[in-house]
């Protein structure tokens, strides 16, 4: 595969669209959602300062739109679209308050349950899922976050 | 005879595990039937990787197991956090299977029991590793009914009356077993339906955690749910923070983006292509074709209205070519891209 891309003389483009890896697909979807949206933001406001929250909103929205096969993206979309003021739903600062509910009971299991709950909070919509589902979704979420990060990095790098 | 009850008891479990049958048959000389009944209700039949602890190798494998001197004898049930491996079996067998107890090196077994306090973490890790492997086998075993597993869990929880099956014969398990996960409580474990379902659930969770372990970098050496969960939480938080940070940065540089959007897309495609794709893939381009002209009802006019440098116009023409998603143009896109890079 690699050699094909390097050797550009070969016309390696196949007519089959299905040879992309899912991460590829996601990245492209993501950039295709985000970049025009940012552009639109830029153009529409025509103000030098783009609201950070708005950008974050668009970022999250692009994420949700690009990953619609996952449950958490649905929740994320709902959160984003319901609150039109772009509250950062994934604010990491809000995770500081964690009330240990089960500190008295079965210590080890209680700890684990606690952590699972914390994890649920991190995932959009995680609290509405049961634990097993949540663990699966967390895996997807992590993967998409990673891809999102790299896409954002490349976007930022391009503009600086 | 004990053999019969054992065989019957195992019938439900032995759908996929025929090898266990003869083993139980062999086990007859070692265990009396009454001893086996609670055992028979028991837990996962992980055949291969789980050497001795498995129920289906009661006397024989216990014996052989001890002789092989592996670490498994050191796993009393109390140490097994989840997966509830058959360490209890050994304890049980010590109590009940006197003959077996004699066969086993009794002194050693006592030492094992006394070892509990000494190195619980080590044993726990062993146990966990084993329980994970056990789970694998158990899960393979559970393939068919797994879809109905949730149902079965509910059913097991609802069917409290089925507690009768616990101590007596496992025959009553057989009928409802078809849609159930074929879990068995291991010896020494609580065998009411709640615990069974609970155990199944825990094993599933551990399975998922293992998958997550592969996903999160640097977690290969971590054993233990709590630590693993901590790592995952930290990782997710750090990813989210990164996204926030990058979007902040994006906000600051956003005003200058107008020119670079096309380039970003091109670059991203190039990068990803160099990294991964065998083909440029018509898919994204068709996607782009769909999106970029349409996306925007708002952005489309903007594309045209952008202050155009020569590069931009070239880019745009290239994009238009590319987005026609004609294989011929696609192929010509490549050399253009190749040309594009140095220009960029």
């Amino acid at each position: 595969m690699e050699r094909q891309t390097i050797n550009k003389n070969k016309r390696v483009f196949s007519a089959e669209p299905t040879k992309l890896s899912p991460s590829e697909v996601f990245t492209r979807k993501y950039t295709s959602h985000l970049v025009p949206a940012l552009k639109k933001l830029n153009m529409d406001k025509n103000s030098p300062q783009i609201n950070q929250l708005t950008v974050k909103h668009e970022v999250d929205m692009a994420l949700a739109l690009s990953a619609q096969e996952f449950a958490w993206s649905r929740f994320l979309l709902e959160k984003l679209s319901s609150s039109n003021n772009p509250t950062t739903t994934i604010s990491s600062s809000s995770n500081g308050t964690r009330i240990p509910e089960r500190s008295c009971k079965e210590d080890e299991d209680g700890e684990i349950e606690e952590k699972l709950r914390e994890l649920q909070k991190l995932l959009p919509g995680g609290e509405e899922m049961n634990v097993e589902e949540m663990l699966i979704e967390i895996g997807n979420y992590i993967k998409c976050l990673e891809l999102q990060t790299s896409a954002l990095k490349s976007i930022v790098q391009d503009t600086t | 005879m004990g053999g019969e009850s054992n065989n019957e008891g195992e019938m439900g479990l032995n759908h996929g595990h025929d090898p266990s049958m003869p083993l139980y048959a062999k086990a007859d000389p070692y265990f009396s039937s009454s001893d086996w009944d609670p055992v028979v209700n028991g837990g996962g039949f992980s055949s291969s990787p789980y050497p001795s602890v498995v129920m289906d190798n009661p006397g024989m494998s216990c014996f052989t197991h001890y002789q092989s001197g592996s670490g498994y004898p050191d796993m009393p049930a109390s140490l097994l956090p989840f997966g509830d491996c058959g360490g209890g079996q050994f304890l049980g067998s010590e109590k009940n299977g006197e003959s077996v107890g004699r066969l086993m090196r009794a002194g050693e077994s006592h030492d094992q029991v006394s070892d509990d306090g000494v190195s619980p973490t080590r044993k726990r890790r062993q146990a966990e590793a084993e329980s994970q492997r056990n789970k694998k086998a158990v899960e393979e075993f559970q393939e068919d009914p797994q879809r109905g597993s949730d149902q079965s869990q509910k059913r097991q929880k609802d069917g409290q009356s089925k507690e009768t099956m616990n101590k007596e014969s496992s025959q009553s398990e057989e009928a409802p077993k078809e849609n159930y996960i074929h879990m068995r409580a291991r010896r020494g474990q609580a065998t009411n339906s709640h615990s069974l379902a609970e155990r199944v659930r825990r094993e599933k969770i551990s399975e998922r955690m293992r998958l997550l372990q592969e996903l999160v970098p640097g977690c290969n050496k971590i054993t233990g749910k709590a630590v693993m969960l901590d790592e995952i939480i930290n990782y997710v938080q750090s990813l989210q923070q990164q996204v926030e940070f990058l979007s902040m940065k994006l906000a600051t540089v956003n005003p200058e983006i107008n020119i670079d959007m096309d380039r970003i897309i091109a670059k991203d495609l190039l990068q990803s292509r160099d990294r991964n794709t065998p083909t440029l893939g018509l898919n994204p381009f068709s996607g782009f074709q769909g999106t970029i002209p349409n996306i925007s009802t708002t952005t489309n006019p903007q594309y045209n209205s952008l202050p155009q440098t020569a590069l931009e116009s070239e880019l745009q023409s290239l994009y238009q070519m590319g987005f026609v998603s004609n294989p011929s143009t696609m192929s010509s896109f490549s050399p253009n891209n190749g040309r594009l890079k140095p220009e960029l």
Side-chain angles (χ1 to χ4, degrees):
Chain A
M1 292 183 180
E2 301 289 321
R3 59 180 185 276
Q4 284 179 355
T5 59
I6 294 175
N7 190 353
K8 293 184 178 124
N9 290 330
K10 289 186 187 172
R11 305 281 161 88
V12 296
F13 306 108
S14 79
E16 306 164 11
T18 53
K19 285 197 178 172
L20 284 181
S21 68
S23 40
E24 270 297 309
V25 173
F26 175 84
T27 314
R28 292 175 188 210
K29 270 196 210 171
Y30 184 76
T31 46
S32 74
H33 280 122
L34 182 58
V35 168
L38 285 177
K39 219 170 167 187
K40 172 187 170 196
L41 262 186
N42 200 22
M43 288 318 213
D44 280 351
K45 300 212 171 176
N46 249 345
S47 63
Q49 290 183 0
I50 307 268
N51 194 3
Q52 263 183 30
L53 289 181
T54 317
V55 171
K56 183 70 166 66
H57 184 263
E58 289 302 327
V59 162
D60 290 339
M61 182 67 83
L63 175 65
L65 290 175
S66 314
Q68 283 183 353
E69 54 266 19
F70 301 131
W72 52 263
S73 77
R74 227 186 333 124
F75 287 105
L76 186 56
L77 263 179
E78 282 173 20
K79 281 185 201 172
L80 288 175
S81 43
S82 65
S83 62
N84 239 346
N85 42 346
T87 51
T88 59
T89 59
I90 317 179
S91 139
S92 48
S93 54
S94 66
N95 280 331
T97 62
R98 183 71 194 99
I99 306 172
E101 298 176 4
R102 283 206 191 177
S103 49
C104 42
K105 309 179 192 175
E106 318 161 339
D107 280 341
E108 176 190 320
D109 280 349
E111 248 185 63
I112 291 183
E113 299 271 349
E114 218 181 286
K115 296 196 199 296
L116 283 174
R117 261 194 297 275
E118 212 176 312
L119 204 52
Q120 268 178 326
K121 284 192 175 178
L122 286 177
L123 183 71
E127 280 148 5
E128 282 116 31
M129 307 177 190
N130 63 18
V131 179
E132 301 164 14
E133 214 186 318
M134 190 265 301
L135 286 177
I136 304 176
E137 292 292 320
I138 275 276
N140 301 328
Y141 185 61
I142 289 179
K143 197 64 194 159
C144 288
L145 275 183
E146 287 172 359
L147 293 173
Q148 180 188 31
T149 317
S150 68
L152 282 175
K153 268 187 205 166
S154 69
I155 292 180
V156 168
Q157 274 171 11
D158 276 336
T159 56
T160 52
Chain B
M1 271 212 30
E4 287 175 6
S5 67
N6 288 342
N7 289 341
E8 282 170 353
E10 292 315 308
M11 255 174 50
L13 271 191
N14 286 339
H15 291 315
H17 279 264
D18 290 338
S20 58
M21 284 287 289
L23 285 171
Y24 265 118
K26 285 181 202 167
D28 291 340
Y30 296 106
F31 289 92
S32 61
S33 61
S34 58
D35 294 335
W36 271 112
D37 288 339
V39 171
V40 149
N41 287 330
F45 260 8
S46 62
S47 49
S48 46
Y50 208 71
S52 61
V53 190
V54 176
M55 300 300 295
D56 56 334
N57 296 339
M60 298 292 288
S61 61
C62 285
F63 186 56
T64 57
H65 180 72
Y66 277 122
Q67 285 187 338
S68 64
S70 73
Y72 296 128
D74 324 340
M75 285 197 295
S78 57
L79 284 188
L80 301 173
F82 46 88
D84 297 331
C85 309
Q89 170 195 357
F90 285 121
L91 290 181
S93 61
E94 288 169 18
K95 296 169 201 158
N96 299 333
E98 296 157 356
S99 54
V100 178
R102 282 181 225 119
L103 283 171
M104 302 190 297
R105 290 171 269 177
E108 193 183 54
S109 59
H110 284 307
D111 287 342
Q112 292 151 13
V113 171
S114 64
D115 265 343
D116 288 359
V118 175
S119 54
T121 46
R122 173 178 68 83
K123 290 175 189 173
R124 183 168 297 163
R125 286 204 197 101
Q126 287 179 358
E128 285 187 29
E130 280 320 300
S131 71
Q132 286 178 356
R133 267 176 276 171
N134 189 18
K135 265 169 259 149
K136 251 194 201 164
V138 167
E139 289 206 14
E140 293 166 16
F141 180 66
Q142 294 169 357
E143 266 172 13
D144 288 336
Q146 192 153 13
R147 282 167 220 111
S149 67
D150 289 333
Q151 305 171 5
S152 69
Q153 283 180 20
K154 288 175 200 159
R155 255 185 265 174
Q156 282 182 357
K157 284 182 183 174
D158 292 341
Q160 294 264 350
S161 59
K162 291 189 179 120
E163 288 188 16
T164 56
M165 71 182 170
N166 298 337
K167 297 292 180 177
E168 338 276 355
S169 65
S170 58
Q171 297 171 5
S172 56
E173 267 193 18
E174 292 171 18
K177 256 204 176 168
E178 289 161 1
N179 289 335
Y180 279 60
I181 290 186
H182 295 178
M183 281 294 302
R184 295 224 170 184
R186 292 162 188 88
R187 193 155 189 168
Q189 297 305 315
T191 53
N192 59 353
S193 49
H194 276 290
S195 317
L196 279 177
E198 180 65 24
R199 191 172 318 121
V200 165
R201 180 179 155 268
R202 272 196 297 233
E203 288 180 4
K204 271 194 189 167
I205 291 182
S206 314
E207 176 72 23
R208 312 250 177 266
M209 300 254 332
R210 238 181 337 119
L211 293 176
L212 283 178
Q213 196 167 10
E214 293 162 17
L215 200 55
V216 177
C219 278
N220 298 328
K221 299 157 193 166
I222 296 185
T223 51
K225 259 186 178 175
V227 184
M228 190 58 219
L229 281 173
D230 266 338
E231 275 302 311
I232 296 177
I233 290 175
N234 289 338
Y235 188 60
V236 172
Q237 280 177 341
S238 77
L239 280 179
Q240 286 173 347
Q241 281 172 356
Q242 262 186 317
V243 168
E244 272 190 52
F245 172 69
L246 284 173
S247 68
M248 252 173 46
K249 245 181 137 181
L250 202 55
T252 58
V253 303
N254 205 15
E256 303 152 18
I257 276 190
N258 46 4
I259 304 180
D260 298 346
M261 295 273 168
D262 301 334
R263 200 188 313 181
I264 293 168
I265 298 180
K267 259 199 178 176
D268 186 55
L269 294 178
L270 283 174
Q271 288 173 4
S272 42
R273 188 178 68 159
D274 291 340
R275 268 185 267 138
N276 297 328
T277 34
T279 69
L280 260 188
L282 288 184
N283 197 11
F285 279 97
S286 55
F288 276 124
Q289 181 188 13
T291 52
I292 289 204
N294 304 336
I295 269 184
S296 341
T297 53
T298 56
T299 57
N300 209 3
Q302 290 169 9
Y303 272 93
N304 297 331
S305 61
L306 281 178
Q308 308 230 347
T309 65
L311 182 59
E312 283 178 24
S313 56
E314 190 175 21
L315 280 172
Q316 285 206 354
S317 61
L318 284 174
Y319 272 105
Q320 289 166 6
M321 270 172 49
F323 297 143
V324 171
S325 77
N326 199 347
S328 56
T329 53
M330 288 302 297
S331 54
S332 58
F333 198 90
S334 156
N336 286 332
N337 265 340
R339 195 164 42 92
L340 203 62
K341 254 189 172 172
E343 289 178 0
L344 288 178

